[in-house]
């Protein structure tokens, strides 16, 4: 953004900002959603640029006000300037996209080759009667725009193993896939980009999660060597997937992404979190 445009945007944010008395923050300067969209429309800028400009002046967008005390303004700005690739926009991926959009991650790359089918209606966040037979990636983009117009979204409606993806600006890759061979491919992609890879899987009322950094052994610790994948895949998904399993595991994935981006808390690197919702049982395995 040129200096004159930046100064103009700063002035507009200041002009439209209001001081409100918040139950959590006390008196705080905020920018309301209609003001953000009005500024974006009048300047031709993306709403995300308006959010970020406001926050850099100490002004909270109202949409992020309930993140305060959990996230600092500096951390919220960092999220707005971060990029995440979500590979798979179905059971896990739809929830992850929802959560990351509401958290304010500024750029999302959505990769999915499939369309919504009736069998997805039991568990997938963006599967509705009016989205049947539509691209999961495109519906994901539209849904994210409706959730948070400040998030920039690019989509690839293609097989991840055959698509040449522009992953510049990506700091984390989320694995929301449903087959092991593609997971190994995306893990290699993450290693080539030198970024963490957040793996998760669900089956029945069970789910698991781990994060793989470029130098870690990764998926081979769970599935064996890549050339043995076909034997493992023959028994996968035999239990079906009720909605509670991907909803829980995707929330953990989204939290993991935020912790990685903000360099805070502890993550699931070299550990695997396992949950059995039916029997109210969780366990952490060291890898």
């Amino acid at each position: 953004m040129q200096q004159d445009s930046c100064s103009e945007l700063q002035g507009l944010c200041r002009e439209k900002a209001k001081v409100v008395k918040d139950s959590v923050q006390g008196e705080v300067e905020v920018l309301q959603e209609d003001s953000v969209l009005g500024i974006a429309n009048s300047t031709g800028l993306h709403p995300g640029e308006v959010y970020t400009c406001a926050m850099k002046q100490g002004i909270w967008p109202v949409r992020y006000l309930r993140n305060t005390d959990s996230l600092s303004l500096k951390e919220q700005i960092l999220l707005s300037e971060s990029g995440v690739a979500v590979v798979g926009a179905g059971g896990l991926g739809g929830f992850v996209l929802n959560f990351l959009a509401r958290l304010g991650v500024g750029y999302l790359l959505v990769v999915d080759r499939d369309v919504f089918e009736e069998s997805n209606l039991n568990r997938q966040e963006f599967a509705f009667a009016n989205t049947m037979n539509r691209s999961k990636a495109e519906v994901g983009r539209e849904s994210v725009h409706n959730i948070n117009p400040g998030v920039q979204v690019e989509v690839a409606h293609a097989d991840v193993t055959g698509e040449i993806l522009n992953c510049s600006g990506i700091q984390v890759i989320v694995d929301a896939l449903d087959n092991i061979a593609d997971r190994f491919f995306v893990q290699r992609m993450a290693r080539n980009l030198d970024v963490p890879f957040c793996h998760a899987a669900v089956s029945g009322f069970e789910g698991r999660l781990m994060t793989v950094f470029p130098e870690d052994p990764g998926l081979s610790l769970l599935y064996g060597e890549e050339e043995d994948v076909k034997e493992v895949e023959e028994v996968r998904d035999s239990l079906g997937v009720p909605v509670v399993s991907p909803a829980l595991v995707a929330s953990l994935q989204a939290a993991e992404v935020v912790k990685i981006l903000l360099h805070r808390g502890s993550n699931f690197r070299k550990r695997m979190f396992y949950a059995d919702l039916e029997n109210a049982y969780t366990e952490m395995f060291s890898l």
Side-chain angles (χ1 to χ4, degrees):
M1 191 186 302
Q2 294 183 349
Q3 185 63 40
D4 289 347
S5 299
C6 183
S7 298
E8 178 189 2
L9 180 55
Q10 290 172 344
L12 289 169
C13 290
R14 280 273 164 222
E15 179 185 327
K16 297 293 185 180
K18 296 181 179 180
V19 176
V20 299
K21 190 168 185 179
D22 180 65
S23 59
V24 177
Q25 287 277 80
E27 284 196 351
V28 58
E29 195 171 17
V30 301
L31 194 62
Q32 295 176 315
E33 191 75 357
D34 58 351
S35 296
V36 171
L37 298 179
I39 292 170
N41 185 57
S42 67
T43 59
L45 297 172
H46 192 276
E49 295 178 273
V50 182
Y51 290 134
T52 302
C53 179
M55 289 189 290
K56 287 184 175 179
Q57 297 180 86
I59 303 168
W60 275 97
V62 173
R63 72 158 47 250
Y64 297 137
L65 202 53
R66 287 295 175 267
N67 286 349
T68 60
D69 284 357
S70 295
L71 299 175
S72 69
L73 192 56
K74 182 179 179 181
E75 288 175 324
Q76 193 71 63
I77 292 168
L78 184 55
L79 289 181
S80 77
E81 296 177 332
S82 297
V84 176
V86 180
V87 185
L92 287 168
F95 286 108
V96 171
L97 289 169
N98 184 343
F99 299 149
L100 295 182
R102 294 186 190 279
L103 283 160
V105 172
Y107 171 71
L108 296 172
L109 172 63
V110 187
V111 185
D112 199 303
R113 67 186 174 189
D114 292 332
V115 298
F116 284 111
E117 301 174 350
E118 289 183 28
S119 62
N120 302 147
L121 288 165
N122 80 310
R123 70 195 183 284
Q124 298 194 11
E125 176 75 342
F126 302 135
F128 300 102
N130 63 355
T131 61
M132 292 297 98
N133 301 311
R134 293 192 57 205
S135 160
K136 292 181 181 181
E138 289 293 345
V139 171
R141 186 207 322 245
E142 292 173 11
S143 300
V144 167
H145 178 74
N146 286 326
I147 292 167
N148 186 349
V151 179
Q152 298 190 55
V153 185
E154 290 189 45
V155 303
H157 182 201
D159 188 330
V160 67
T161 61
E163 180 77 358
I164 299 174
L165 302 174
N166 178 13
C167 291
S168 59
I170 295 298
Q171 284 90 50
V172 184
I173 296 180
V174 174
D175 164 23
L177 292 162
D178 62 0
N179 78 84
I180 301 168
D182 285 356
R183 296 181 196 277
F184 273 99
F185 181 89
V186 176
Q187 179 178 255
R188 288 198 303 275
M189 184 171 71
R191 284 175 174 159
N192 291 337
L193 292 168
D194 196 30
V195 299
F197 166 73
C198 188
H199 162 69
V202 290
S203 182
F205 287 99
E206 300 173 59
R208 64 183 176 214
L209 169 74
M210 75 173 187
T211 292
V212 180
F213 277 66
E215 60 271 29
D216 298 342
L219 296 178
S220 62
L221 296 175
L222 299 181
Y223 301 112
E225 297 306 315
E226 188 171 355
E227 55 268 23
D228 300 326
V229 160
K230 285 186 178 179
E231 290 184 29
V232 179
E233 287 196 300
E234 288 178 1
V235 296
R236 70 177 176 86
D237 293 344
S238 59
L239 300 176
V241 184
V243 67
V244 291
S245 306
L248 171 68
V249 175
S251 69
L252 295 171
Q253 274 188 297
E256 188 79 346
V257 168
V258 169
K259 289 183 292 182
I260 291 169
L261 293 174
L262 299 181
H263 306 287
R264 61 180 281 186
S266 60
N267 57 48
F268 294 112
R269 184 184 184 189
K270 296 183 179 180
R271 299 186 295 171
M272 187 190 78
F273 174 82
Y274 168 80
D276 178 346
L277 279 69
E278 183 177 11
N279 296 300
Y281 172 77
T282 63
E283 188 167 352
M284 188 78 73
F285 296 91
S286 296
L287 298 174

